[in-house]
Amino acid sequence: MTNETADGGWRGWRAAAEAALYGPGGFYRRPEGPAGHFRTSVHASPLFAGAVAGLLCRVDEALGRPSGLDFVDMAAGRGELVSGVLTALPGDVAARTRAYAVEIAGRPAGLDQRIEWLAEPPKSVTGLLFANEWLDNVPVEVAEVDSAGVPRLVLVREDGTERLGEPVSGAQAEWLARWWPLPAEEGLRAEIGLPRDTAWASVVSRVERGLAVAVDYAHTAGARPLFGTLTGFREGRETAPVPDGSCDITAHVALDACTLPGGRVLAQRDALRTLGIAGARPPLALATTNPSAYVRALAGAGEAAELTAAGGLGDFGWLVQPVGIPDVLA
């Protein structure tokens, strides 16, 4: 079903965001990359890449230390995470690691030659597939309840002007009823996450053995926002979502809807603490015995605290999906 209309440039949010983010001249094709507009865990501290490297080592052990170990960085930006992971890996693991960056933009100049740059993930993965803030940029339709209590698709023009379109129907209506039921109250909104469920299932299907992890702004059943979460980001600031290619367009992810059998969702703070990122301050005595070490440890504690903070990055959801191995974060 298409939600495009013949008059006035109106179309559904999914088509509008797809063009604005990934079309010719789209936001994610800009030379500055995502880091020029918003801060993720990857940009907050090298501790995050170190933790992901530690997770890859756990996967490696669970796989029996194979001769070829894959690390796939979905929505790789300009390769910051995959580069950091390779740097943080022990030498023997790095020597066996096949590193892939999956991104629609062109390969950055000067990127480590060990990293293979792809437009889509490899067809077969044995190792760790890691999707940091990917699913929130998989475009979705937006639904809004009209004055009669009926959820309708929201249509939008390139300048961000909105109006209501046809009633939500078919598979989209089924998804709403199961995962984000809207009370019959005018103005309530939801993002229909069906394309994200499909996208996640598709990449997980490429993992022969190993682990797939999606990290994102998230919500789960029982705590859905009343008016949705669709928003924009430009140059580090939240802004109105305008689908003209000038800003990021994002919406939080219903990670529980994406979860496949055997998977689970946990908070980033819990995942990182399991991987040794605690944020504890170093002992004050270290300031006397080794001042430079104390300063380094204090800086690291501050970065760890940011990655695990309540109300901030620590609230991100981690969808952990083992394939043929135990849950290495249990």
Side-chain angles (χ1 to χ4, degrees):
M1 180 181 69
T2 178
N3 298 314
E4 302 234 9
T5 64
D7 61 306
W10 295 103
R11 52 185 172 173
W13 264 108
R14 184 182 179 190
E18 183 76 32
L21 296 177
Y22 306 117
F27 177 82
Y28 276 100
R29 297 187 185 275
R30 288 169 166 248
E32 71 271 18
H37 295 271
F38 52 86
R39 179 179 173 86
T40 73
S41 297
V42 178
H43 309 124
S45 170
L47 290 175
F48 188 79
V52 176
L55 180 58
L56 180 58
C57 289
R58 292 188 179 204
V59 172
D60 182 42
E61 291 295 333
L63 290 169
R65 299 174 57 83
S67 59
L69 177 68
D70 298 322
F71 177 69
V72 181
D73 180 10
M74 291 293 300
R78 296 303 176 264
E80 298 95 336
L81 177 60
V82 63
S83 298
V85 167
L86 283 177
T87 299
L89 285 174
D92 64 313
V93 180
R96 291 183 288 110
T97 297
R98 299 176 296 224
Y100 302 95
V102 181
E103 180 58 67
I104 64 161
R107 182 187 182 96
L111 188 70
D112 191 320
Q113 290 302 310
R114 293 176 294 173
I115 300 169
E116 188 170 350
W117 196 264
L118 302 173
E120 61 179 42
K123 295 186 182 301
S124 177
V125 176
T126 299
L128 174 61
L129 182 146
F130 200 86
N132 186 62
E133 297 195 44
W134 169 54
L135 287 174
D136 68 294
N137 288 127
V138 173
V140 293
E141 298 292 3
V142 177
E144 182 176 320
V145 179
D146 68 11
S147 59
V150 176
R152 292 181 175 271
L153 294 171
V154 177
L155 305 182
V156 63
R157 283 176 169 163
E158 193 174 276
D159 64 1
T161 305
E162 293 181 335
R163 71 171 176 84
L164 297 187
E166 63 195 53
V168 180
S169 62
Q172 294 177 337
E174 293 172 8
W175 189 95
L176 272 185
R178 179 178 180 186
W179 293 109
W180 198 334
L182 285 169
E185 182 178 332
E186 185 177 7
L188 297 186
R189 289 172 68 129
E191 291 98 30
I192 304 173
L194 185 59
R196 293 167 173 179
D197 301 358
T198 302
W200 181 243
S202 176
V203 297
V204 172
S205 72
R206 301 190 182 213
V207 180
E208 297 290 336
R209 291 182 67 223
L211 183 68
V213 178
V215 180
D216 238 309
Y217 300 96
H219 46 67
T220 54
R224 306 288 191 213
L226 293 176
F227 301 101
T229 61
L230 188 73
T231 192
F233 284 93
R234 182 187 297 114
E235 297 177 356
R237 297 181 180 180
E238 191 168 6
T239 185
V242 178
D244 61 359
S246 68
C247 65
D248 185 29
I249 296 172
T250 178
H252 294 198
V253 183
L255 281 180
D256 50 348
C258 296
T259 305
L260 299 168
R264 66 185 178 110
V265 178
L266 66 160
Q268 172 157 297
R269 71 178 61 84
D270 297 324
L272 291 182
R273 285 169 182 163
T274 300
L275 293 168
I277 307 298
R281 291 174 63 90
L284 190 59
L286 186 62
T288 302
T289 59
N290 192 335
S292 60
Y294 177 77
V295 171
R296 289 194 301 272
L298 192 62
E303 292 173 2
E306 181 181 3
L307 290 171
T308 59
L313 295 175
D315 289 345
F316 272 54
W318 280 43
L319 169 51
V320 179
Q321 195 80 53
V323 180
I325 65 169
D327 183 346
V328 295
L329 278 172

